[in-house]
Amino acid sequence: MLSPQDIDRIIEMAWEDRTPFDAILTQFGLTEQETIALMRNELLPKNWRKWRERVHQCDTKHAKKRNEDIDRFKCTRQKGISKNRVSKR
């Protein structure tokens, strides 16, 4: 069972263009299809459609479509995240 904090973090990761579904699988054990189902249940219909359109257009969300030079789960410029809060520099 996922905590509300875990669900918030999964949603945040799913919206990030550079975070692949493999990162969500590694950290939370949710497959791509389970992540899609979670997003459908948690987002408003309008936001769900925006997210699905964005994911379909984003090659970095799928490991097989990613440029092989990218071997990290997040952007190097992304702020550190701890306990679902963005840390200040």
Side-chain angles (χ1 to χ4, degrees):
M1 190 76 174
L2 295 169
S3 70
Q5 291 82 14
D6 288 343
I7 292 171
D8 286 347
R9 182 63 185 130
I10 292 167
I11 292 170
E12 184 178 6
M13 291 173 75
W15 272 104
E16 293 168 353
D17 289 340
R18 290 186 172 253
T19 305
F21 288 111
D22 291 344
I24 296 171
L25 177 63
T26 301
Q27 292 182 27
F28 297 99
L30 292 180
T31 65
E32 180 179 343
Q33 293 305 316
E34 291 169 332
T35 302
I36 291 169
L38 181 133
M39 294 294 279
R40 182 184 292 261
N41 290 332
E42 297 293 326
L43 297 179
L44 295 172
K46 180 180 176 181
N47 292 336
W48 157 252
R49 287 188 295 275
K50 285 181 184 179
W51 179 76
R52 282 302 289 161
E53 182 179 338
R54 185 174 177 156
V55 168
H56 282 298
Q57 296 173 358
C58 187
D59 289 344
T60 57
K61 293 301 280 183
H62 304 279
K64 292 179 183 177
K65 294 181 180 179
R66 274 177 89 118
N67 183 335
E68 57 192 41
D69 295 335
I70 301 173
D71 61 352
R72 62 188 183 277
F73 284 157
K74 65 179 183 178
C75 176
T76 56
R77 297 178 306 275
Q78 182 179 355
K79 293 180 181 178
I81 297 174
S82 62
K83 296 186 181 175
N84 206 28
R85 292 184 174 219
V86 177
S87 302
K88 293 183 179 179
R89 291 183 188 229

